[in-house]
Amino acid sequence: TKEGKLDKNINTLIEEDKNILIGINYPVTGINALDNLIQNDIEKIYNDFKEQYESFNSLTEKSELNIDYIYDIVNENYINVCVYVFIDSSKLSHPNQYMKSYVYDIRENKLMSIKDLIQEIDFPKFISLVSTEIVQNYSNCILLDKMKNIITITYNFPLFTFDTDKVTIYFNP
């Protein structure tokens, strides 16, 4: 992959009060449909966090929301954006981390799904390859059985990115 020609800016929000600490960074790609989708998702995460944690008084620490991203342009035709969310609070037994991915086809002006990359006829082979990779590389993962049961011909692989060499699939715990 290489840097593309699209303008890219960053939206940043830093907020702190007696109960919460928020740091949010996300890209502005210049493509309204993609920017609106990302912004709406970020706003929902932000609003849900504030609703759950803003009035929670902790004796030891502030509740924290951190959102960051990775942005990549592939062959000047596709945009990959991964948004990483980290939430920590003494209200939680352990921090909560998850991600969202957005793959956008600039030429077609549309958000892509994994099936836009892999032809329907090749999808069973793809499923088999993914299942084999997971079993070989994550044999000690406590969620292995759950992941194997999820990966079927009907699974849409909602979290993925790609570049000129590979497709990367993500799973949230």
Side-chain angles (χ1 to χ4, degrees):
T1 60
K2 65 178 186 170
E3 276 300 312
K5 296 179 181 174
L6 294 179
D7 290 332
K8 181 183 71 158
N9 296 309
I10 301 169
N11 275 344
T12 298
L13 170 71
I14 298 173
E15 185 176 324
E16 184 173 7
D17 70 18
K18 66 179 184 145
N19 295 327
I20 59 173
L21 176 61
I22 298 174
I24 299 175
N25 292 305
Y26 63 96
V28 176
T29 65
I31 298 173
N32 288 336
L34 180 57
D35 291 341
N36 290 338
L37 180 62
I38 293 169
Q39 182 174 351
N40 289 340
D41 286 349
I42 297 291
E43 285 176 0
K44 181 174 180 354
I45 294 165
Y46 170 83
N47 290 331
D48 289 349
F49 175 82
K50 288 200 61 160
E51 182 179 311
Q52 289 182 29
Y53 299 103
E54 189 169 36
S55 63
F56 180 70
N57 288 314
S58 171
L59 296 174
T60 58
E61 62 189 50
K62 295 180 181 195
S63 296
E64 177 183 352
L65 169 64
N66 187 307
I67 300 176
D68 213 345
Y69 71 94
I70 294 175
Y71 176 102
D72 187 34
I73 298 175
V74 180
N75 293 333
E76 299 182 9
N77 296 315
Y78 306 98
I79 297 175
N80 290 314
V81 177
C82 290
V83 173
Y84 297 94
V85 178
F86 173 85
I87 298 173
D88 194 13
S89 173
S90 56
K91 193 175 177 179
L92 299 170
S93 58
H94 54 80
N96 185 4
Q97 299 180 65
Y98 62 95
M99 61 92 61
K100 296 181 73 76
S101 69
Y102 309 84
V103 178
Y104 194 84
D105 184 328
I106 297 167
R107 292 175 298 164
E108 299 292 324
N109 287 320
K110 72 174 197 161
L111 198 62
M112 296 177 63
S113 76
I114 196 81
K115 291 186 177 181
D116 291 322
L117 295 176
I118 300 164
Q119 293 180 5
E120 194 78 30
I121 196 162
D122 294 330
F123 211 67
K125 182 178 176 184
F126 175 74
I127 296 290
S128 177
L129 287 170
V130 170
S131 296
T132 301
E133 284 288 316
I134 287 172
V135 169
Q136 288 177 351
N137 293 314
Y138 301 100
S139 60
N140 294 328
C141 176
I142 60 174
L143 299 175
L144 181 61
D145 287 335
K146 181 180 178 182
M147 289 170 49
K148 285 193 299 187
N149 290 333
I150 289 173
I151 300 170
T152 65
I153 197 69
T154 59
Y155 188 63
N156 289 327
F157 296 92
L159 303 172
F160 75 97
T161 57
F162 75 97
D163 60 28
T164 56
D165 300 324
K166 66 187 176 306
V167 173
T168 303
I169 298 169
Y170 303 91
F171 295 92
N172 283 321

